[in-house]
Short mmCIF file of all heavy atoms in Angstrom, two decimals:
data_model
loop_
_atom_site.label_atom_id
_atom_site.label_comp_id
_atom_site.label_asym_id
_atom_site.label_seq_id
_atom_site.Cartn_x
_atom_site.Cartn_y
_atom_site.Cartn_z
N ILE A 445 -92.59 -13.87 56.71
CA ILE A 445 -91.97 -12.80 55.90
C ILE A 445 -92.80 -11.54 56.08
O ILE A 445 -94.02 -11.55 55.87
CB ILE A 445 -91.88 -13.21 54.43
CG1 ILE A 445 -90.90 -14.38 54.28
CG2 ILE A 445 -91.42 -12.03 53.57
CD1 ILE A 445 -90.75 -14.89 52.87
N LEU A 446 -92.13 -10.49 56.49
CA LEU A 446 -92.82 -9.25 56.81
C LEU A 446 -92.96 -8.32 55.61
O LEU A 446 -93.76 -7.39 55.63
CB LEU A 446 -92.06 -8.52 57.93
CG LEU A 446 -91.79 -9.37 59.19
CD1 LEU A 446 -91.00 -8.57 60.20
CD2 LEU A 446 -93.10 -9.87 59.79
N THR A 447 -92.17 -8.55 54.56
CA THR A 447 -92.26 -7.72 53.35
C THR A 447 -93.55 -8.03 52.61
O THR A 447 -93.88 -9.21 52.40
CB THR A 447 -91.06 -7.98 52.43
OG1 THR A 447 -89.85 -7.68 53.14
CG2 THR A 447 -91.13 -7.12 51.17
N PRO A 448 -94.34 -7.02 52.16
CA PRO A 448 -95.60 -7.29 51.45
C PRO A 448 -95.36 -8.10 50.19
O PRO A 448 -94.33 -7.97 49.52
CB PRO A 448 -96.11 -5.89 51.12
CG PRO A 448 -95.45 -4.98 52.10
CD PRO A 448 -94.11 -5.59 52.37
N ALA A 449 -96.33 -8.98 49.87
CA ALA A 449 -96.24 -9.82 48.67
C ALA A 449 -96.36 -8.96 47.41
O ALA A 449 -97.09 -7.96 47.40
CB ALA A 449 -97.33 -10.89 48.70
N ASN A 450 -95.61 -9.37 46.36
CA ASN A 450 -95.64 -8.71 45.05
C ASN A 450 -95.28 -7.21 45.14
O ASN A 450 -95.73 -6.41 44.34
CB ASN A 450 -97.01 -8.86 44.38
CG ASN A 450 -97.29 -10.30 44.01
OD1 ASN A 450 -96.43 -10.99 43.45
ND2 ASN A 450 -98.48 -10.78 44.35
N LYS A 451 -94.46 -6.88 46.10
CA LYS A 451 -94.01 -5.48 46.20
C LYS A 451 -93.15 -5.14 44.99
O LYS A 451 -92.33 -5.95 44.54
CB LYS A 451 -93.23 -5.29 47.49
CG LYS A 451 -92.78 -3.85 47.71
CD LYS A 451 -92.06 -3.67 49.04
CE LYS A 451 -91.63 -2.24 49.24
NZ LYS A 451 -90.95 -2.04 50.54
N LEU A 452 -93.38 -3.95 44.44
CA LEU A 452 -92.66 -3.52 43.25
C LEU A 452 -91.47 -2.65 43.65
O LEU A 452 -91.62 -1.65 44.36
CB LEU A 452 -93.58 -2.72 42.31
CG LEU A 452 -92.91 -2.13 41.05
CD1 LEU A 452 -92.35 -3.24 40.16
CD2 LEU A 452 -93.90 -1.26 40.28
N GLN A 524 -92.54 -18.42 51.53
CA GLN A 524 -91.89 -17.69 50.45
C GLN A 524 -92.71 -16.47 50.06
O GLN A 524 -93.90 -16.38 50.36
CB GLN A 524 -91.66 -18.58 49.23
CG GLN A 524 -92.92 -19.01 48.50
CD GLN A 524 -92.60 -19.87 47.30
OE1 GLN A 524 -91.70 -20.71 47.35
NE2 GLN A 524 -93.35 -19.70 46.22
N ASN A 525 -92.04 -15.56 49.37
CA ASN A 525 -92.69 -14.31 48.95
C ASN A 525 -92.08 -13.86 47.64
O ASN A 525 -90.86 -14.00 47.42
CB ASN A 525 -92.50 -13.23 50.02
CG ASN A 525 -93.28 -11.97 49.70
OD1 ASN A 525 -94.39 -12.04 49.18
ND2 ASN A 525 -92.69 -10.82 50.00
N GLU A 526 -92.92 -13.36 46.72
CA GLU A 526 -92.46 -12.88 45.43
C GLU A 526 -92.53 -11.35 45.38
O GLU A 526 -93.50 -10.75 45.87
CB GLU A 526 -93.31 -13.45 44.29
CG GLU A 526 -93.14 -14.94 44.10
CD GLU A 526 -93.98 -15.46 42.93
OE1 GLU A 526 -94.73 -14.64 42.37
OE2 GLU A 526 -93.85 -16.65 42.60
N VAL A 527 -91.49 -10.75 44.80
CA VAL A 527 -91.45 -9.30 44.59
C VAL A 527 -91.01 -9.03 43.16
O VAL A 527 -90.46 -9.93 42.49
CB VAL A 527 -90.49 -8.61 45.58
CG1 VAL A 527 -91.01 -8.72 47.00
CG2 VAL A 527 -89.08 -9.19 45.48
N GLN A 528 -91.28 -7.83 42.68
CA GLN A 528 -90.99 -7.47 41.30
C GLN A 528 -89.90 -6.39 41.28
O GLN A 528 -89.86 -5.50 42.13
CB GLN A 528 -92.23 -6.92 40.60
CG GLN A 528 -93.45 -7.82 40.68
CD GLN A 528 -93.22 -9.14 39.96
OE1 GLN A 528 -92.57 -9.19 38.93
NE2 GLN A 528 -93.74 -10.22 40.54
#
Side-chain angles (χ1 to χ4, degrees):
I445 294 179
L446 307 178
T447 301
N450 293 314
K451 183 177 180 179
L452 176 62
Q524 68 180 39
N525 186 38
E526 292 182 355
V527 293
Q528 307 296 323

